[in-house]
């Protein structure tokens, strides 16, 4: 029943005035955005472009492809139909032919229909003159042409009024054009809409706003050459990468932080061995000095010990030579050598043949607290290096 009422309303739209036509088809759902497509080539001189539009049927909105149409009579121009929000519903205003282009809701259908008038061509002494800047001639030889730049304010809104709709209102010349004698759509145009209504691929619910047949070179030809499909709209916003730019200095700052922390972390371990090295370094050096004599000198304690450590490894096994070599490098960097005194001599006593180091153990155990005192064990150190050197 719903389909029958729709067909009756469509037939009535062909015989009533444009004002009453807008009340025949009215719904509460806004039409989809206009698809993006290219204009097929002009089939021959004398055709005028009629843009595609969203129509409504029992299964919802469907796309009627744009096409080239021969005007019903010389001197007639096409005023496209449009959707308009009126009294809580969307009403369709059927297009018509007339001597002037009237109001079509300010909808930008493209190809000369930028929202006001038609800039794709005009009649010149009974012959259509084409604006080469908005028409696709293809391989057709068109002699009556001109060039006029058309400023195209890109918008895909397909209805006037209501929420999100175009707010353009009819201008004075468009109101006058509404009073002209109008001719209903040509039979070829009616056939184009009928074929579109029977093609489920053109339903908005099927193609999601991108019909496979967006335009045709001639009315009623939905297959073969001259078929143009809709393409995806190009994304316009480009300022998105801009907020990413300020992140670069933030990352550089983070990258610099570990660089600064690395030297800080490296210095403590370097200082730690310095504090622990002096006792370990003095132990083997003082051991050797005590073997030769019981005297030592505080002033020469660090300088003569490295050479002595090098001389003994030559006569002893390789294992013993490696230990003093490593020890010799450390006392040079460690200034507090006099503190360990004779205590350091205890660990290395087994390496020397004489038994003299044994009493030093007892003396070392009794003097740990008296190291900082004014005892002259330093005098013993001077004697021992001289004896080993000779």
């Amino acid at each position: 029943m719903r389909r029958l009422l729709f067909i009756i309303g469509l037939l009535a739209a062909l015989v009533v005035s444009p004002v009453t036509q807008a009340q025949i088809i009215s719904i509460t759902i806004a039409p989809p955005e206009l698809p993006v497509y290219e204009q097929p080539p002009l089939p021959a001189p004398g055709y005028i472009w009629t843009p595609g539009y969203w129509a409504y049927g029992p299964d919802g909105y469907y796309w009627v492809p744009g096409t080239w149409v021969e005007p019903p009579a010389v001197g007639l121009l096409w005023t496209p139909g449009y959707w308009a929000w009126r009294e809580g519903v969307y009403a369709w205003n059927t297009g018509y032919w007339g001597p002037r282009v009237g109001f079509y809701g300010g909808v930008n259908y493209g190809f000369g229909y930028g929202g006001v008038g038609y800039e794709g061509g005009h009649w010149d002494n009974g012959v259509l003159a084409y604006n080469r800047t908005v028409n696709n001639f293809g391989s057709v030889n068109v002699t009556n042409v001109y060039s006029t730049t058309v400023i195209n304010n890109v918008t895909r809104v397909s209805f006037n009024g209501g929420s999100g709709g175009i707010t353009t209102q009819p201008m004075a010349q468009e109101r006058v054009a509404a009073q002209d004698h109008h001719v209903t759509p040509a039979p070829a145009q009616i056939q184009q809409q009928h074929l579109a209504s029977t093609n489920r691929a053109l339903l908005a619910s099927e193609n999601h706003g991108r019909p496979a047949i967006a335009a045709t070179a001639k009315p009623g030809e939905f297959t073969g050459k001259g078929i143009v499909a809709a393409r995806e709209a190009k994304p316009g916003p480009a300022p998105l990468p801009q907020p990413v730019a300020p992140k670069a200095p933030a990352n550089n700052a983070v990258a610099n932080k570990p660089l600064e922390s690395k030297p800080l972390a490296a210095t403590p371990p370097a200082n730690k061995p310095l504090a622990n090295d002096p006792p370990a370094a003095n132990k083997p050096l003082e051991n050797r000095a005590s073997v030769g004599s019981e005297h030592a000198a505080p002033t020469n304690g660090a300088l003569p010990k490295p050479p002595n450590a090098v001389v003994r490894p030559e006569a002893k096994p390789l294992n013993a030579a490696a230990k003093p070599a490593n020890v010799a490098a450390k006392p040079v960097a460690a200034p507090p050598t006099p503190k360990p005194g004779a205590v350091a001599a205890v660990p290395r006593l087994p390496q020397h043949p004489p038994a003299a180091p044994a009493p030093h153990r007892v003396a070392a155990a009794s003097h740990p607290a008296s190291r900082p005192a004014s005892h002259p064990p330093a005098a013993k150190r001077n004697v021992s290096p001289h004896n080993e050197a000779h």
Side-chain angles (χ1 to χ4, degrees):
M1 184 66 181
R2 182 182 178 186
R3 184 182 295 272
L4 179 60
L5 292 175
F6 174 78
I7 294 175
I8 295 173
L10 181 61
L11 294 175
L14 303 178
V15 296
V16 296
S17 64
V19 176
T20 56
Q21 289 177 25
Q23 305 301 324
I24 295 173
I25 304 173
S26 59
I27 57 175
T28 57
I29 303 172
E33 290 185 333
L34 297 173
V36 180
Y37 61 94
E38 301 294 334
Q39 186 185 60
L42 175 72
Y47 283 76
I48 192 169
W49 177 253
T50 59
Y53 57 93
W54 289 106
Y56 192 84
D59 297 322
Y61 286 104
Y62 63 93
W63 179 254
V64 179
T67 188
W68 292 97
V69 177
E70 290 184 290
V74 175
L76 295 182
L77 297 173
W78 175 248
T79 297
Y82 68 99
W83 290 95
W85 174 261
R86 295 177 184 173
E87 300 177 358
V89 296
Y90 292 95
W92 172 249
N93 297 267
T94 305
Y96 57 88
W97 294 94
R100 289 175 290 191
V101 178
F103 180 71
Y104 50 93
V107 178
N108 184 1
Y109 288 107
F111 311 113
Y113 297 96
V116 177
Y118 177 55
E119 298 181 274
H122 61 266
W123 288 96
D124 183 12
N125 296 324
V127 179
L128 273 173
Y130 296 92
N131 185 357
R132 66 170 71 250
T133 63
V134 295
N135 291 302
N136 180 13
F137 299 148
S139 59
V140 176
N141 183 20
V142 182
T143 58
N144 198 8
V145 297
Y146 65 96
S147 296
T148 299
T149 302
V150 177
I151 299 175
N152 187 12
N153 297 322
V154 179
T155 174
R156 298 171 58 198
V157 179
S158 61
F159 60 95
N160 180 280
S163 177
I166 300 170
T167 59
T168 302
Q169 296 299 317
M171 295 187 295
Q173 65 268 26
E174 293 172 326
R175 293 182 184 276
V176 173
Q179 305 303 321
D180 294 336
H181 175 71
H182 298 158
V183 178
T184 58
Q189 293 174 283
I190 297 175
Q191 180 189 17
Q192 182 87 341
Q193 181 173 342
H194 174 70
L195 291 176
S197 66
T198 60
N199 190 331
R200 293 196 60 85
L202 296 178
L203 287 171
S205 58
E206 297 288 337
N207 56 52
H208 307 289
R210 293 178 59 186
I213 307 174
T216 64
K218 289 184 178 182
E221 296 183 359
F222 283 18
T223 59
K225 297 181 65 175
I227 305 303
V228 177
R231 58 181 174 82
E232 186 177 1
K234 296 179 181 179
L240 292 177
Q242 293 179 355
V244 181
K247 291 182 181 179
N251 294 335
N252 293 339
V254 175
N256 294 334
K257 288 182 181 178
L259 296 176
E260 297 174 357
S261 61
K262 286 180 181 178
L264 295 176
T267 48
N271 295 335
K272 288 180 182 178
L274 293 176
N276 297 334
D277 286 345
N282 294 333
K283 289 179 183 179
L285 294 176
E286 291 174 1
N287 232 354
R288 297 165 189 170
S290 61
V291 174
S293 176
E294 297 180 354
H295 302 284
T299 55
N300 300 330
L303 297 175
K305 289 176 184 178
N308 295 335
V310 176
V311 174
R312 289 195 176 186
E314 296 177 357
K316 290 185 178 182
L318 295 174
N319 296 337
K323 294 178 180 179
N326 295 335
V327 175
K330 293 180 180 178
V332 177
T337 53
K339 290 184 180 180
V343 181
V346 179
R348 301 301 178 101
L349 287 175
Q351 296 178 355
H352 303 285
H360 285 287
R361 287 185 179 180
V362 179
S366 60
H367 291 289
S370 60
R371 289 175 191 173
S374 60
H375 292 285
K380 296 179 182 180
R381 293 179 184 174
N382 287 338
V383 177
S384 60
H386 288 290
N387 293 336
E388 292 179 359
H390 292 290

